[in-house]
Amino acid sequence: YDIGAGWTELDAVLRVDGGWRGRYIPVDFGTDGTNLETWVPPRRVDFVCALEIIEHLYEPWRLVEALKVASPVVIISVPNPETCDVLGMDSDHKSIITVEALEERGFTVQRKTFYGGVYSDGKPGDSLLAVWTRRTSHLTHTEPTAPQYRRNA
């Protein structure tokens, strides 16, 4: 899923720049009317992206937990409250998402410059990029072996 997909720019980047050929499922209030405050993914998918979206929700963690059920990989980006006035960016920003809150929920977080310093008085690291993956330590990968053919004598 591409949550907050807009006009599906991520799809174009994945396919053109990355050579990806999977099924792309956009979800966006502005284009399809989906209310992300109540939406639950209807199917499992390989990965989910919610880039600069969950800070627009009153209950962002409800959606994040639903995404974690639907996918083994969840990628999120949000404005960094250490460098940006998140709620002051515009009236659509409803929640402040911190590094600590993301890490408490199992995300690995990096500080990135997404807005070019526009909202952070030129300081780098104006966005948080967070990745969560379902732990699969109980699974093991075994290299395939060549089939063994027998000749009939």
Side-chain angles (χ1 to χ4, degrees):
Y1 294 104
D2 181 4
I3 310 302
W7 297 107
T8 67
E9 296 90 344
L10 181 60
D11 184 34
V13 169
L14 289 170
R15 292 180 194 288
V16 173
D17 296 341
W20 182 69
R21 299 287 176 246
R23 182 174 182 191
Y24 176 81
I25 306 172
V27 178
D28 189 286
F29 177 79
T31 58
D32 63 24
T34 300
N35 180 353
L36 294 177
E37 292 285 1
T38 59
W39 181 75
V40 175
R43 63 173 8 130
R44 294 189 188 278
V45 294
D46 292 334
F47 70 93
V48 174
C49 289
L51 306 178
E52 307 300 309
I53 296 302
I54 67 168
E55 71 276 7
H56 295 273
L57 303 176
Y58 288 108
E59 300 285 337
W61 303 118
R62 186 214 60 82
L63 178 61
V64 168
E65 292 307 314
L67 297 176
K68 288 164 73 174
V69 169
S71 176
V73 178
V74 178
I75 303 165
I76 292 174
S77 69
V78 295
N80 183 354
E82 297 167 353
T83 59
C84 299
D85 176 8
V86 177
L87 300 180
M89 293 174 84
D90 64 47
S91 62
D92 288 335
H93 287 79
K94 312 290 189 234
S95 298
I96 296 173
I97 310 298
T98 65
V99 170
E100 296 78 18
L102 288 161
E103 289 177 341
E104 286 171 5
R105 289 165 175 84
F107 284 85
T108 300
V109 182
Q110 295 179 349
R111 290 163 180 83
K112 298 289 185 179
T113 301
F114 182 80
Y115 298 105
V118 172
Y119 295 105
S120 63
D121 294 327
K123 297 176 198 156
D126 57 16
S127 185
L128 302 176
L129 177 64
V131 178
W132 174 87
T133 56
R134 183 171 297 124
R135 306 241 185 266
T136 56
S137 60
H138 65 282
L139 300 176
T140 58
H141 176 73
T142 305
E143 288 297 322
T145 57
Q148 302 297 315
Y149 296 100
R150 286 196 240 179
R151 290 187 161 187
N152 292 336

